[in-house]
């Protein structure tokens, strides 16, 4: 078993949520630890484990095909660390303007954000680093690249 760590902006392309596989098959959530040649990853400081679709045992391949496609998604904790926002922005009842601009799913208690779609909606290249904060903290336009998300909130990129 190989356990890797993803950077906070790294998409979950070709991965499935371990918890989803375990729920669908009725196996222990630690079973992957005993599989030979399995590639597992998680985000730094996060507990959720994701398994590479191509390395899951052959007897579970039919179940893997029914698992949610996580292409473009990142775990919500990683998204918050990456963009510098508080997790409260990812809760609907808090009425954050950012919540309406994101595709957020809850999969077996794990919240995921579609970072790829967010980049696409803003017309940004995936290589850009982004951060979100109040517009009043940004420098003048030629010095700092920004996209206004709301009258108070802006997204900076470099």
């Amino acid at each position: 078993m190989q356990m890797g760590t993803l950077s906070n902006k790294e998409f979950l392309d070709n991965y499935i949520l371990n918890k989803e596989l375990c729920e669908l098959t009725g196996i222990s959530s630690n079973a992957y630890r005993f599989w030979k040649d399995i590639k597992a990853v998680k985000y730094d400081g996060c507990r959720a484990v994701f398994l590479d679709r191509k390395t899951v045992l052959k007897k579970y391949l039919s179940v893997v095909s029914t698992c949610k496609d996580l292409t473009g998604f990142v775990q919500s904790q990683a998204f918050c660390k990456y963009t510098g926002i508080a997790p409260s922005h990812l809760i609907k009842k808090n009425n954050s303007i950012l919540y309406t601009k994101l595709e957020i799913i809850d999969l077996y208690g794990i919240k995921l954000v579609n970072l790829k779609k967010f980049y696409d909606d803003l017309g940004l290249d995936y290589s850009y680093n982004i951060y979100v904060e109040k517009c009043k903290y940004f420098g003048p336009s030629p010095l700092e690249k920004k996209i206004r998300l709301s009258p108070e909130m802006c997204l900076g990129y470099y």
Side-chain angles (χ1 to χ4, degrees):
M1 191 243 349
Q2 298 174 2
M3 176 60 83
T5 304
L6 297 172
S7 72
N8 291 331
K9 71 179 268 187
E10 206 167 338
F11 305 133
L12 289 169
D13 299 355
N14 299 317
Y15 287 97
I16 59 169
L17 179 63
N18 178 52
K19 190 170 184 178
E20 181 179 20
L21 178 69
C22 294
E23 290 287 329
L24 294 174
T25 58
I27 60 174
S28 166
S29 62
N30 290 322
Y32 74 93
R33 294 176 186 234
F34 304 101
W35 297 345
K36 187 178 179 185
D37 301 324
I38 186 77
K39 183 179 176 191
V41 295
K42 57 184 173 178
Y43 289 99
D44 190 32
C46 300
R47 296 180 68 195
V49 176
F50 301 91
L51 306 175
D52 188 326
R53 288 178 173 273
K54 297 176 232 156
T55 62
V56 174
L57 294 178
K58 291 184 189 218
K59 68 180 179 178
Y60 297 120
L61 287 179
S62 63
V63 177
V64 168
S65 63
T66 64
C67 289
K68 174 79 174 155
D69 181 15
L70 301 179
T71 300
F73 283 90
V74 297
Q75 193 170 353
S76 63
Q77 292 163 298
F79 179 80
C80 290
K81 286 179 188 177
Y82 176 56
T83 58
I85 64 165
S88 60
H89 285 282
L90 303 182
I91 299 171
K92 185 177 184 174
K93 68 180 180 181
N94 288 344
N95 296 323
S96 171
I97 191 71
L98 195 55
Y99 183 86
T100 61
K101 297 188 179 296
L102 296 171
E103 179 186 349
I104 302 171
I105 61 169
D106 192 303
L107 189 60
Y108 291 91
I110 307 298
K111 194 177 277 193
L112 303 162
V113 177
N114 194 333
L115 181 59
K116 189 178 275 187
K117 183 181 180 306
F118 189 54
Y119 271 104
D120 292 343
D121 291 347
L122 296 171
L124 295 174
D125 189 77
Y126 305 134
S127 64
Y128 281 123
N129 289 312
I130 60 174
Y131 55 98
V132 178
E133 60 182 274
K134 291 188 176 183
C135 295
K136 66 182 181 180
Y137 297 122
F138 280 82
S141 288
L143 300 176
E144 205 164 7
K145 297 177 186 176
K146 67 182 176 188
I147 297 171
R148 189 172 290 275
L149 300 173
S150 75
E152 295 177 359
M153 191 178 279
C154 288
L155 177 133
Y157 60 96
Y158 58 93

